[in-house]
Amino acid sequence: MALEAGASWLDLNCGCPIYEATKRGLGSALLRNPRKLARLVAGIAEGTQLPLTVKVRTGTSASKINVQQVVELLQGAGAAAVIVHGRTAEQRYKKPADWTLLTEVARSHDVPVIGNGDILTYYEAQERLDGSGCLAQMVGRGALIKPWIFQEVKEGRELNLDASDRLGIYRQLVSHMKEHFGDDAKGRRKAFYFLPWHFDFFCRYR
Ligand SMILES: Cc1cc2nc3c(=O)[nH]c(=O)nc-3n(C[C@H](O)[C@H](O)[C@H](O)COP(=O)(O)O)c2cc1C
């Protein structure tokens, strides 16, 4: 089933490297046995009306990079697209995402590949899209650092928000949290837990 802009789809997360997930065979642990993963994906794809995407990493470790085989098998299993984060699970964020490998993967399969890793500016988004053969890109930390990055990509320019625009965005976040967590003591405790975490991201690349 093909992906359509604006429509819903189901995503299977095989990218998460944290021990709490991998010790139970979830997240990136699913990459250890690509054939088993393909059977899982075929089963889910058969049982849902929604297009199914799968998010993967390039492998579990530097000596176990198997993304080409994984994407090949996922294509055969009926994935509508594969999102590839260009790092191994073991790497976490230690080295830059491997866009050379992402490009090879995107160019050697018919299934659409969505590239992910280190897109923090509109020009990186443009360069990666033009040069990689990926259908699209996924932005992770860039969206936490600059929630307006999508507008920058759309407009092809840096927005350089001034202090009052930034404050407006921070206030908007607080009001979303109020709505989401509730405006009582419990809700405020949760908001106060998450806010410093967000502000840490906002303060990168000041
Ligand atoms: C706070 C945070 C939470 C994340 N949670 C998930 C997750 O649940 N599943 C997943 O596949 N990737 C998760 N990721 C990884 C991102 O989706 C993405 O693959 C990674 O950050 C690389 O992209 P980036 O360089 O644009 O950040 C998370 C990343 C961050 C920073």
Side-chain angles (χ1 to χ4, degrees):
M1 214 179 298
L3 291 181
E4 273 173 50
S8 301
W9 73 79
L10 193 65
D11 183 64
L12 178 67
N13 177 2
C14 310
C16 183
I18 62 167
Y19 181 64
E20 285 70 21
T22 57
K23 74 176 175 194
R24 290 185 285 150
L26 304 174
S28 57
L30 289 159
L31 303 175
R32 287 183 203 143
N33 187 337
R35 287 182 201 286
K36 192 171 160 192
L37 172 61
R39 284 198 298 277
L40 175 68
V41 167
I44 301 174
E46 218 179 279
T48 178
Q49 301 289 318
L50 295 171
L52 174 66
T53 60
V54 188
K55 167 116 185 288
V56 301
R57 286 186 174 238
T58 54
T60 50
S61 65
S63 61
K64 289 181 185 144
I65 291 181
N66 60 357
V67 62
Q68 289 283 22
Q69 184 204 8
V70 165
V71 174
E72 184 69 29
L73 287 166
L74 293 178
Q75 177 173 286
V82 185
I83 302 141
V84 183
H85 176 189
R87 291 186 179 88
T88 67
E90 194 184 71
Q91 257 172 12
R92 300 290 181 109
Y93 291 105
K94 275 188 214 126
K95 286 186 181 163
D98 187 346
W99 277 88
T100 307
L101 181 53
L102 278 178
T103 304
E104 282 167 22
V105 173
R107 294 203 173 141
S108 42
H109 295 96
D110 292 331
V111 68
V113 170
I114 298 174
N116 169 237
D118 300 340
I119 294 171
L120 299 166
T121 60
Y122 77 88
Y123 49 86
E124 284 160 319
Q126 197 60 60
E127 267 171 39
R128 297 308 189 195
L129 201 57
D130 291 346
S132 70
C134 289
L135 169 78
Q137 296 150 336
M138 177 183 272
V139 174
R141 290 162 303 164
L144 291 166
I145 296 166
K146 291 196 288 186
W148 54 92
I149 189 171
F150 303 104
Q151 198 185 339
E152 291 191 342
V153 172
K154 198 168 158 196
E155 294 181 16
R157 66 189 179 105
E158 201 174 340
L159 290 172
N160 273 325
L161 300 194
D162 64 19
S164 83
D165 289 337
R166 282 169 194 258
L167 282 173
I169 285 168
Y170 306 158
R171 291 181 88 93
Q172 209 182 337
L173 172 67
V174 172
S175 109
H176 287 321
M177 282 188 164
K178 235 174 167 176
E179 202 181 302
H180 183 73
F181 294 130
D183 193 10
D184 53 8
K186 193 176 162 201
R188 277 194 288 275
R189 258 200 317 276
K190 283 203 168 157
F192 288 149
Y193 174 79
F194 282 109
L195 270 175
W197 186 87
H198 278 283
F199 275 94
D200 181 47
F201 275 104
F202 289 151
C203 293
R204 296 185 198 184
Y205 306 110
R206 261 169 306 176

